[in-house]
Amino acid sequence: MKDRYPRVEIDLVHLKHNVEAVVRKCGEIGIDIAGVIKGATGLPEVAKAFDEGGAKWIASSRLEQIRDAIDAGIRKPMMLIRIPMLTEVEDMIRLCDYSLESEVEVLKAADEEAGKQGKIHNVILMADMGDLREGFWDKDEMAQAALMVERDLKNLHLAGIGTNVGCYGSILPTVGKLNELVAVAEKIEAVIGRKLEIISGGATSSLMRVWDGTMPERINMLRCGEGILLARDLPLFYNCPQPELCQDMFRLKAEVIEVKDKPSHPVGDIGFDAFGHQVQYVDRGIRRRALLGIGKVDYGDPSELLPMEEGVEILGASSDHTIVDIEDAVKDWKVGDIMTFDVNYAILVYITSSRNVSIVFK
């Protein structure tokens, strides 16, 4: 199946450049980077770019991806960044050096399993600072959990604390919010009687505070994926330019399988589409359209696709087909032509995990 489409082309040289640039910029103010590989489904080649670019940890929410990175020969410390399920504690201890934690029951299970495996496992307790995903909401409870790890769980090491913002509740990593996290860390330090090694101030969105020079001094670790893999969100959504970074690491390519002039409004009684949705269509008369050999099962939401050719408009998709309007396209599209798309994070996760999309490294 040589030269098969659809496919995603990945520029590893530019990806490594982004890793180096973010590591260097953050390192200037004492921040280490956990390179989050889950956005590209943990592809070992992508993990190696994070490794070679200087990330201090390799991180993912999925143990399978961490296992693949280890099997690829990467020897950096591995970090599980989704709160572990009880059913995966054994594998987590076997594969990971660090984990993010927020449940006492899981901490006790991790301690027991680390003892069985003869290991000391590093934990970062997560504080919920308002985004309402993972983490201790009651900071007194968090302090007591920290004291329990410090005094009673001999096979765990309390490496630090962290937080997550911007992923569920859309909370911004403001200076005030990050200073709240530092205050939580100092409260825990007072309880356990020593300094924490790590205060993890969030993920890609927190890079804003690095680029604008307002990051609180004690934040010394960030967990970064999209801000390196795509480097799109901060300039696009938060007016935070990052001219040092490349934005062309991933390109999705799909083959044109049909080109015809057709009505722009379906003809007949309209019901539901293949996914059970009722769609509103606009009648623009007869238009030239192309059909692509790629569909929702490969990339998710067609409205997220970013055509790179002028005059191409996404109309919609079924499971295996994507329909695009090419009436106003500059190029005279033919069957067999290859159409190129830029991608966002949502699309990237799908296309790198679909067995129907081939992967080509450059």
Side-chain angles (χ1 to χ4, degrees):
M1 302 182 72
K2 184 181 178 183
D3 296 329
R4 183 171 66 89
Y5 291 92
R7 76 186 192 190
V8 55
E9 296 181 352
I10 303 175
D11 189 327
L12 294 174
V13 174
H14 283 186
L15 177 55
K16 182 182 174 184
H17 164 84
N18 276 12
V19 180
E20 292 172 338
V22 171
V23 166
R24 181 170 57 252
K25 182 87 170 177
C26 291
E28 290 172 356
I29 56 172
I31 294 176
D32 292 318
I33 294 297
V36 180
I37 60 175
K38 67 186 178 74
T41 318
L43 292 169
E45 293 83 355
V46 169
K48 286 181 179 179
F50 275 95
D51 179 25
E52 294 169 1
K56 186 171 181 178
W57 301 267
I58 301 298
S60 180
S61 57
R62 312 288 172 155
L63 288 173
E64 296 86 354
Q65 296 176 11
I66 289 173
R67 180 195 60 208
D68 288 346
I70 294 170
D71 289 346
I74 297 174
R75 296 294 175 257
K76 289 278 176 69
M78 299 291 164
M79 180 181 296
L80 181 66
I81 59 169
R82 182 172 68 183
I83 302 303
M85 306 177 225
L86 280 171
T87 52
E88 63 185 359
V89 165
E90 180 181 352
D91 289 331
M92 177 191 75
I93 297 298
R94 178 171 56 86
L95 295 169
C96 301
D97 305 281
Y98 289 75
S99 63
L100 310 186
E101 302 283 351
S102 66
E103 284 289 349
V104 167
E105 185 178 359
V106 178
L107 286 165
K108 290 178 179 178
D111 177 64
E112 182 179 352
E113 183 59 39
K116 291 178 182 177
Q117 295 189 28
K119 294 182 176 181
I120 299 296
H121 181 77
N122 300 284
V123 298
I124 297 172
L125 298 186
M126 294 297 281
D128 189 334
M129 307 304 296
D131 202 63
L132 304 182
R133 201 178 72 176
E134 78 274 42
F136 289 89
W137 183 253
D138 185 327
K139 303 310 183 293
D140 290 330
E141 179 191 2
M142 184 177 179
Q144 289 306 305
L147 188 61
M148 179 191 71
V149 173
E150 185 76 2
R151 291 184 178 177
D152 303 328
L153 304 185
K154 303 305 182 184
N155 303 300
L156 301 184
H157 171 65
L158 179 60
I161 72 162
T163 195
N164 180 78
V165 292
C167 284
Y168 169 71
S170 307
I171 296 301
L172 291 170
T174 61
V175 175
K177 186 64 66 177
L178 293 172
N179 275 324
E180 288 179 32
L181 179 67
V182 172
V184 172
E186 291 174 347
K187 175 178 180 177
I188 288 174
E189 288 172 338
V191 169
I192 66 174
R194 67 172 176 86
K195 291 285 188 182
L196 296 167
E197 296 118 62
I198 294 171
I199 304 178
S200 183
T204 286
S205 62
S206 295
L207 286 175
M208 287 189 284
R209 303 286 76 85
V210 175
W211 255 258
D212 69 12
T214 62
M215 179 67 78
E217 286 186 11
R218 290 212 59 195
I219 303 294
N220 61 4
M221 189 259 267
L222 296 177
R223 312 175 307 276
C224 294
E226 190 282 336
I228 291 170
L229 293 167
L230 297 173
R232 290 178 53 88
D233 285 3
L234 297 191
L236 181 63
F237 299 131
Y238 298 110
N239 192 30
C240 177
Q242 297 172 297
E244 309 96 323
L245 304 185
C246 302
Q247 294 185 322
D248 61 350
M249 283 71 68
F250 298 88
R251 292 290 182 260
L252 175 62
K253 297 192 173 184
E255 186 170 340
V256 176
I257 60 175
E258 177 185 289
V259 177
K260 296 196 184 298
D261 293 334
K262 293 187 180 183
S264 51
H265 194 283
V267 179
D269 296 333
I270 294 178
F272 297 84
D273 69 10
F275 287 79
H277 301 143
Q278 284 189 303
V279 182
Q280 299 297 316
Y281 303 93
V282 178
D283 191 346
R284 301 163 67 189
I286 301 295
R287 304 276 295 184
R288 196 153 187 81
R289 57 171 57 192
L291 203 63
L292 307 180
I294 189 172
K296 288 184 179 180
V297 297
D298 303 307
Y299 58 70
D301 184 353
S303 69
E304 304 268 9
L305 288 172
L306 304 169
M308 298 196 69
E309 280 90 6
E310 189 176 350
V312 172
E313 177 186 352
I314 305 294
L315 295 177
S318 61
S319 299
D320 313 302
H321 304 80
T322 299
I323 303 99
V324 297
D325 185 300
I326 55 172
E327 180 73 21
D328 302 321
V330 172
K331 179 175 177 175
D332 183 18
W333 289 95
K334 306 291 186 184
V335 170
D337 285 344
I338 306 302
M339 197 171 284
T340 303
F341 300 88
D342 196 359
V343 302
N344 63 13
Y345 191 80
I347 295 287
L348 180 62
V349 171
Y350 273 96
I351 61 178
T352 52
S353 64
S354 173
R355 62 184 299 226
N356 306 309
V357 179
S358 62
I359 297 174
V360 177
F361 296 101
K362 299 165 59 180

